[in-house]
Amino acid sequence: MCIVLGAQAGDKLSFQVTVNGEEVPYRLFSFFVMPSEQLNLTTSVALEIQSTEVGITSRSDLRYVLRAPAQPGAYHVYLQTDAEQMVLNILVLTPLSAKKGEYLNGYRIGDYPSRLLNNDPIYERPKGLFEVTAETENLQLTPHFKLSQFVCKQAGDFPKYLVVRERLLLKLEYLLAIVQSKGIEIDTFGFISGYRTPFYNKSIGNVPYSRHVWGGAADIFIDEDKDGRMDDLNHDGLIDERDVRYFYNLVEDEYDKLEYKKFIGGLGFYKKNSRHSGFIHVDVRGRKARW
């Protein structure tokens, strides 16, 4: 069963939750896991934790082990205190070992590079991809970002497949809060690109080691008026590269802040053209890269 949950006021928790070492400050969040994979969950307060599908073992009042179902799909864990509830989406992947040639259940994935770039483990082939269906495509992953925003742009019917790195979701929520703090009233970002299959990434002429192929990158823009293009952020009456630069600089200004260290990665600047709005690229490669 898929539950579509929308963002709401007070999106941040009043207590701490850590899953596999990643601190999750939001009342709604998602983890992409393999079938039967275990997740270690720690909380800062005693609470009630429930799920009808995910196995839950209590190690202490504040420590739990979650075991994902063996069947791929979207599942949910509920963490409840007297005052608030957190929902964890447990998104169980379809193993890539099920791929036949370049296809997974009729959807063309292509092939991941056989060698790591610079022996960096972030370029290891994903073990699995999440199946996106008409039912799950509008699943809310975090308070402000939906699964549909990350789906690859390649043509084709359902099912489709993707993966998204949890740290990218955390980074996007962090950057959205920065933008909102400047008085820009948006509830999400416009997306040019999220996940890309290796097949699609190659078809548009991109480099084979693009972080999009590993679900660790997003090409985004600020679109308060929902017209599908970057807004006039510097209020000069024009929509041009200076608005992209404004957004780029908002992100760059976070670089030396302690709370941003875990989000260090690529930051790219792209002017508008006949195919797309101006936008910036952000990723979570773990080292600084600029273009």
Side-chain angles (χ1 to χ4, degrees):
M1 181 178 66
C2 172
I3 299 176
V4 179
L5 296 159
Q8 56 182 318
D11 294 318
K12 282 201 167 184
L13 293 165
S14 64
F15 56 91
Q16 290 185 335
V17 172
T18 301
V19 181
N20 282 0
E22 191 79 78
E23 184 176 349
V24 180
Y26 304 105
R27 294 189 180 187
L28 171 62
F29 201 72
S30 303
F31 280 85
F32 292 78
V33 302
M34 290 297 289
S36 303
E37 183 177 338
Q38 289 190 355
L39 295 168
N40 295 305
L41 184 148
T42 304
T43 69
S44 62
V45 298
L47 47 72
E48 183 179 358
I49 180 168
Q50 294 181 337
S51 177
T52 59
E53 305 118 333
V54 177
I56 302 168
T57 302
S58 176
R59 297 300 190 192
S60 71
D61 288 342
L62 305 179
R63 295 174 58 243
Y64 303 85
V65 174
L66 310 181
R67 181 179 288 276
Q71 182 69 26
Y75 305 93
H76 313 282
V77 176
Y78 303 91
L79 285 67
Q80 183 75 53
T81 69
D82 291 339
E84 59 190 308
Q85 183 185 73
M86 178 187 190
V87 179
L88 279 179
N89 294 324
I90 306 299
L91 305 183
V92 181
L93 309 178
T94 298
L96 269 183
S97 58
K99 189 161 71 79
K100 296 181 179 180
E102 293 192 354
Y103 291 83
L104 183 60
N105 293 333
Y107 186 69
R108 192 169 186 178
I109 305 298
D111 294 313
Y112 279 84
S114 59
R115 296 182 179 181
L116 303 182
L117 180 64
N118 299 323
N119 290 318
D120 191 333
I122 68 170
Y123 293 99
E124 290 181 353
R125 190 184 79 156
K127 294 179 180 179
L129 298 173
F130 183 71
E131 183 174 290
V132 182
T133 66
E135 182 185 25
T136 61
E137 69 169 336
N138 288 316
L139 178 72
Q140 198 83 31
L141 298 177
T142 71
H144 299 98
F145 297 97
K146 291 183 178 182
L147 188 66
S148 59
Q149 292 173 289
F150 297 90
V151 173
C152 184
K153 304 296 185 184
Q154 78 185 54
D157 296 326
F158 296 115
K160 303 179 181 184
Y161 290 87
L162 56 62
V163 69
V164 183
R165 291 177 63 87
E166 291 82 9
R167 188 157 291 186
L168 178 65
L169 294 174
L170 291 168
K171 182 172 184 172
L172 290 170
E173 284 287 350
Y174 178 98
L175 294 178
L176 182 65
I178 295 300
V179 171
Q180 291 172 331
S181 74
K182 304 301 180 182
I184 300 173
E185 297 181 357
I186 57 172
D187 57 10
T188 192
F189 291 127
F191 272 64
I192 297 292
S193 184
Y195 172 75
R196 296 181 195 148
T197 64
F199 163 73
Y200 180 78
N201 189 66
K202 182 178 180 180
S203 75
I204 62 174
N206 213 319
V207 296
Y209 290 96
S210 167
R211 291 307 302 154
H212 289 277
V213 177
W214 283 264
D219 296 338
I220 55 175
F221 58 95
I222 294 172
D223 186 18
E224 187 173 353
D225 58 7
K226 306 292 186 183
D227 67 349
R229 60 177 182 166
M230 181 72 84
D231 289 342
D232 177 15
L233 301 177
N234 64 352
H235 306 295
D236 65 354
L238 302 172
I239 299 175
D240 56 24
E241 64 188 78
R242 284 169 289 191
D243 301 302
V244 181
R245 183 62 64 185
Y246 177 92
F247 190 13
Y248 182 103
N249 289 340
L250 283 183
V251 178
E252 185 71 348
D253 288 346
E254 298 300 306
Y255 185 80
D256 291 325
K257 296 181 180 179
L258 180 62
E259 60 268 30
Y260 191 74
K261 291 301 182 184
K262 67 180 180 179
F263 299 135
I264 288 174
L267 176 59
F269 174 99
Y270 291 86
K271 300 177 183 179
K272 69 176 181 179
N273 60 26
S274 60
R275 301 188 311 274
H276 58 68
S277 165
F279 64 90
I280 67 168
H281 166 104
V282 296
D283 66 49
V284 287
R285 68 184 66 192
R287 55 181 175 81
K288 184 176 182 179
R290 295 293 181 269
W291 61 92

